[in-house]
């Protein structure tokens, strides 16, 4: 029996999460991708708390215009979360792609975060 795309992603996610964890000094940068939007959080796994977050939805509200699900909007989210991390004096993060393949919007988000000053 063949796995669905969601089951395959869930399995990849489990393999990734058993190896990585975020701390106060080096939080985990978690990505969630829906069909329309991209959501990112900086998570401290020791305290089970979110330090900062950003999404295309929040950028739509602040910019006052709709963002399409594209690489350009993903790069904007990456730069936005990097700016929020700099305000918290966070320079290094652990990148958690959440089981998604590292290409397209996920790769653009990571590149945008690197341009914003975060180190993986």
């Amino acid at each position: 029996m063949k796995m669905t795309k969601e089951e395959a992603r869930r399995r990849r996610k489990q393999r990734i999460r058993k190896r990585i964890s975020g701390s106060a000094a080096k939080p985990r940068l978690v990505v969630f991708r829906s069909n329309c939007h991209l959501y990112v959080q900086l998570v401290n796994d020791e305290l089970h708390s979110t330090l900062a977050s950003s999404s295309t939805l929040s950028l739509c509200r602040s910019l006052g215009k709709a963002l399409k699900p594209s690489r350009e909007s993903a790069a904007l989210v990456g730069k936005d979360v990097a700016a929020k991390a700099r305000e918290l004096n966070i320079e290094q993060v652990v990148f958690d792609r959440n089981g998604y393949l590292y290409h397209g919007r996920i790769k653009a988000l990571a590149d945008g975060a690197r341009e914003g000053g975060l180190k993986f």
Side-chain angles (χ1 to χ4, degrees), residues 53-119:
S53 65
S54 181
S55 67
T56 53
L57 190 61
S58 65
L59 287 177
C60 285
R61 291 180 183 145
S62 65
L63 296 175
K65 65 176 183 175
L67 292 175
K68 294 180 181 177
S70 65
R71 293 178 187 173
E72 291 81 21
S73 59
L76 284 175
V77 172
K79 289 176 187 174
D80 185 49
V81 79
K84 290 179 180 180
R86 272 195 316 241
E87 290 174 7
L88 298 170
N89 295 323
I90 296 170
E91 294 178 6
Q92 268 196 320
V93 295
V94 178
F95 188 63
D96 181 4
R97 57 190 174 89
N98 214 3
Y100 299 110
L101 298 179
Y102 188 80
H103 68 91
R105 289 190 285 163
I106 304 297
K107 184 174 188 267
L109 178 123
D111 291 341
R114 282 190 195 102
E115 284 179 30
L118 286 180
K119 297 176 185 169

Side-chain angles (χ1 to χ4, degrees), residues 2-54:
K2 190 173 179 177
M3 282 191 292
T4 64
K5 283 184 179 183
E6 186 58 31
E7 288 170 344
R9 185 184 80 84
R10 206 171 293 128
R11 281 185 131 174
R12 283 193 304 268
K13 178 181 177 175
Q14 288 174 344
R15 282 197 308 263
I16 293 166
R17 277 294 287 133
K18 69 183 172 184
R19 278 183 254 141
I20 66 171
S21 179
S23 64
K26 196 172 178 179
R28 184 167 52 101
L29 183 73
V30 188
V31 178
F32 176 75
R33 186 187 78 192
S34 72
N35 287 338
C36 295
H37 294 288
L38 197 63
Y39 304 88
V40 181
Q41 292 181 331
L42 288 174
V43 177
N44 180 351
D45 288 317
E46 294 170 348
L47 298 176
H48 306 287
S49 64
T50 300
L51 305 174
S53 65
S54 181

